Structure formats: structure tokens, C-alpha cells
Amino acid sequence: MNKLNVALIFGGKSGEHEVSLASSASIYTHIDKSKYNIFTIGITKDGRWMYYEGNEENIRNGEWVNLANKNVEINLVPVGNKEVGIVFEDGRLEKIDVLFPVLHGPYGEDGTIQGLFEISQIPYVGCGVLSSSVGMDKLICKKVFTQIGLPQVDYTDTHKSVFNKYTQEELNKIEEKLNYPIFVKPANLGSSVGISKANNREELLSGINEALKFDARIVLEQGIDAREIEVAVLGNNEVKASIAGEIKPAKDFYDYEDKYINGSSTYDIPANINEIDMENIRKMAIEAFKSIDGKGLSRVDFFIDKNSGEIFINEINTLPGFTNISMYPKMWEATGLSYSSLIDSLIQLALDTKK
């Protein structure tokens, strides 16, 4: 059987560049190399595309930039008589069967690069242009979830242009809508980058100013005393949900540092919840995924109020982390799907979208 040519694309211009490197290195380790020829393409922080051929440790530590072969041409756009693929120094063209983007954050999971992939006409892993852009935008996504009746905590929003001009009025508006604690989030960013928890007006102002470094639109959410539950979904038209897991943050909430650097939070897979809640969460995860026309994969995050037991959907992540401590592959492993088999499934789902 001929091997498929898979292009693993990592790095990117977003604040989650290092997360992407860790995820890609992990996928490179676990992908079945007896089935796939792996072509590794890195995108630098300033947006340059470079071909790298070497081990995954140099992807993880960022050294790939210095080891990249600058004489290899990466052509994903059908221009003139050029064929789409990777052109090597000796003129050899390797056509790519599947693109496997592992690009977290803006320019990677927000629909922009998915648009390029559509132009290339090469099947690619993960959600398409619409679902990627909607899933990445916390504010738009909340409106979609409201439309289909999924329960959410109270929220409001502000915009940089308005907030900077009418700071006190906007703070008043937020405090009228929400009680402390309040979570402050950039609308278009993932991996908990730029997120903070405000317990008073001073912290709210500081948190918004920090979030505005990453996005002009800010989402403010009502903080509750909650358990953090996550579930993985997989599929195109027929969608499956894994068993749910529970994050137990080492801090007030599960932040970037804890997710990808120190890993001091713990987790339970499966989550210690009753069967009814488990099935409701899995069902809502699939509904959320389908509501944004999801394809391939997503991780859907929920809250369970510790006092009332109410379940709230938090957000959907259309390109979740794949590091060795990431919940998405771990939840599938606990459900009976190994890391390598999960990669196989994602590649097959990508191919299925082009049939």
C-alpha cells in the first residue's frame, strides 16, 4: 500500500506559537510512519513558511528555524503552470495528500489559513473556514449557542474604541450586568492567553487593559464557583463524543502557564459526575459542534456550578492542544481510541470531506 503524504504545519504568528510547537512534536512522535510520509512545514513568528526535515525535539524547542532548508519551495497555491506541492532542490515535486495544521490561535484556527487550504484544494484536518472562524470568536460563538438554546453564564462585551473613550461608563455597564468575580477574555484568542479573573473594579480595569493587548473586542463573563469539565468530539456528519474529563486547576482557573508550562493542575478522566450529567454534556458537545458546522475535531468545555449543579457550556476549541498533557488526546485514549489511531481517524475524516 502506498503511503500518504501528510504535511504537518506548525508554528504561526499567534501568541500560541510555542503551544503549536509542542503539539506538533507530540503528533510527529505518535503518527504511524509506516502509513504516512511526513513533511514538516514551520511558520515563523513573522509569518515565513519554511521546510524543516529532522527530529521532533527540534520542533519542540524551536531550533527548527535555524535548521530549515530554505531552498525547498512550498507551493500550496495553484499559480500558472506550477503544481501544488513541495518542490525540492533537485526539482522533485512531492504532492501532498493531506494537510495537517497544528496552528493554535489567530491565523491558525480562525478560518484564515483554512481559506488558503480551500484554495489549494488539498484535504486538510479539522474544521473549515466557517466553523473555525465562529469557534475562534468567543462572542459570536456565544450568540450561536444562545440561538440553539445551550445554557451559558451571563456575559457582556466591550470594544477597544469604546472602552478607551468611555472607560468609566463601560466599567459601570459591566458592573451593572455582572457581579464579581468577572472573567475577562479577548474575543479571538485561545489557550487562555490574555484571560484574567477580576475580583474588584481595579482588577477589572487591569484585566481589560491586558486583554486589549491581544484583541480589540473583549468578552466579560460572570464568574461562578464551578467544576471545569471538558469533552472531545470527533467526526464530520456522524459525530462522536468522548467520555468527559474534569480539570482541577492549581490556581483560580486553568490558565496558559498551567496548560502548557508547569502542568501543575490535575485531572480526572472520566470526570466524577453522574451518568445523566455525563450524557447531557456529551450530547451538548455534539450539538455545539454541529451548530457551527464543525468538521474533524473539537474540544468543548463546560462548567458545572458547585452550588446548583447547573451545567453551562463555556466554549468550543476547534483546534485543541495535542501536547503530551493535553486533554483532547487523553480523553480519547480513555474512551478507547489510542493517540495513533486518533491521528488516523483525523486524516481519514479530512480525506472524506473531499469525496
Side-chain angles (χ1 to χ4, degrees), residues 235-254:
N236 291 336
N237 298 321
E238 296 182 10
V239 183
K240 301 182 292 186
S242 72
I243 58 173
E246 178 174 6
I247 297 291
K248 296 184 174 179
K251 304 178 182 178
D252 272 355
F253 66 98
Y254 195 35

Side-chain angles (χ1 to χ4, degrees), residues 191-205:
S191 294
S192 300
V193 175
I195 294 178
S196 63
K197 181 180 180 182
N199 294 293
N200 53 54
R201 193 181 183 99
E202 182 181 358
E203 291 179 359
L204 179 62
L205 176 60

Side-chain angles (χ1 to χ4, degrees), residues 311-355:
I311 299 171
F312 301 99
I313 189 168
N314 178 22
E315 60 188 36
I316 188 167
N317 188 321
T318 58
L319 217 166
F322 264 87
T323 71
N324 60 343
I325 59 172
S326 293
M327 289 291 283
Y328 186 86
K330 284 186 175 295
M331 287 186 288
W332 277 120
E333 284 179 328
T335 308
L337 189 64
S338 71
Y339 200 129
S340 292
S341 296
L342 173 60
I343 293 171
D344 288 341
S345 295
L346 291 169
I347 291 172
Q348 187 57 54
L349 287 167
L351 292 169
D352 288 347
T353 62
K354 297 300 179 182
K355 289 181 179 178

Side-chain angles (χ1 to χ4, degrees), residues 78-345:
V79 178
N81 295 322
K82 286 187 177 181
E83 291 194 71
V84 174
I86 299 175
V87 183
F88 289 85
E89 295 161 286
D90 59 4
R92 173 173 55 97
L93 171 73
E94 287 287 356
K95 293 185 178 181
I96 300 301
D97 297 304
V98 179
L99 298 166
F100 199 137
V102 194
L103 298 160
H104 307 301
Y107 309 108
E109 60 176 306
D110 60 357
T112 51
I113 205 164
Q114 286 75 17
L116 172 62
F117 296 158
E118 290 288 342
I119 293 170
S120 78
Q121 298 182 45
I122 301 173
Y124 58 94
V125 169
C127 287
V129 175
L130 175 66
S131 48
S132 296
S133 58
V134 172
M136 188 71 188
D137 192 304
K138 293 180 176 68
L139 188 55
I140 299 299
C141 207
K142 283 181 177 297
K143 293 179 179 180
V144 172
F145 293 162
T146 297
Q147 184 68 27
I148 64 169
L150 291 177
Q152 302 176 83
V153 297
D154 291 337
Y155 69 93
T156 188
D157 65 282
T158 189
H159 190 279
K160 183 175 185 177
S161 60
V162 178
F163 187 80
N164 286 344
K165 189 173 183 180
Y166 305 104
T167 303
Q168 296 307 314
E169 290 87 343
E170 283 296 287
L171 291 173
N172 290 338
K173 182 196 79 172
I174 294 164
E175 290 178 329
E176 287 171 9
K177 176 77 174 180
L178 306 172
N179 299 316
Y180 290 107
I182 297 170
F183 279 96
V184 184
K185 301 180 178 182
N188 258 298
L189 213 60
S191 294
S192 300
V193 175
I195 294 178
S196 63
K197 181 180 180 182
N199 294 293
N200 53 54
R201 193 181 183 99
E202 182 181 358
E203 291 179 359
L204 179 62
L205 176 60
S206 174
I208 292 174
N209 284 329
E210 177 64 21
L212 286 173
K213 295 176 183 177
F214 300 97
D215 196 358
R217 294 158 63 244
I218 307 300
V219 177
L220 297 306
E221 292 179 350
Q222 179 62 62
I224 60 172
D225 188 13
R227 299 171 65 183
E228 298 189 35
I229 309 295
E230 300 184 348
V231 64
V233 294
L234 180 70
N236 291 336
N237 298 321
E238 296 182 10
V239 183
K240 301 182 292 186
S242 72
I243 58 173
E246 178 174 6
I247 297 291
K248 296 184 174 179
K251 304 178 182 178
D252 272 355
F253 66 98
Y254 195 35
D255 65 4
Y256 178 92
E257 183 177 311
D258 219 8
K259 282 182 179 179
Y260 301 111
I261 299 174
N262 59 38
S264 57
S265 288
T266 58
Y267 57 85
D268 288 335
I269 304 176
N272 184 22
I273 56 179
N274 63 57
E275 288 186 20
I276 293 174
D277 285 348
M278 177 70 78
E279 288 311 305
N280 282 342
I281 285 171
R282 295 175 77 180
K283 181 171 176 284
M284 283 194 282
I286 293 172
E287 288 177 2
F289 185 67
K290 288 184 174 181
S291 75
I292 65 168
D293 193 32
K295 295 288 187 295
L297 76 160
S298 284
R299 193 195 70 236
V300 190
D301 302 344
F302 295 85
F303 297 133
I304 297 181
D305 191 304
K306 290 181 181 179
N307 299 312
S308 68
E310 289 180 271
I311 299 171
F312 301 99
I313 189 168
N314 178 22
E315 60 188 36
I316 188 167
N317 188 321
T318 58
L319 217 166
F322 264 87
T323 71
N324 60 343
I325 59 172
S326 293
M327 289 291 283
Y328 186 86
K330 284 186 175 295
M331 287 186 288
W332 277 120
E333 284 179 328
T335 308
L337 189 64
S338 71
Y339 200 129
S340 292
S341 296
L342 173 60
I343 293 171
D344 288 341
S345 295

Side-chain angles (χ1 to χ4, degrees), residues 50-93:
M50 303 170 74
Y51 180 75
Y52 163 74
E53 191 170 13
N55 64 48
E56 61 266 41
E57 188 53 38
N58 286 324
I59 296 176
R60 183 179 285 106
N61 63 26
E63 188 61 23
W64 68 272
V65 175
N66 300 318
L67 301 172
N69 187 337
K70 298 181 177 63
N71 296 316
V72 174
E73 181 181 348
I74 302 162
N75 180 33
L76 296 184
V77 180
V79 178
N81 295 322
K82 286 187 177 181
E83 291 194 71
V84 174
I86 299 175
V87 183
F88 289 85
E89 295 161 286
D90 59 4
R92 173 173 55 97
L93 171 73

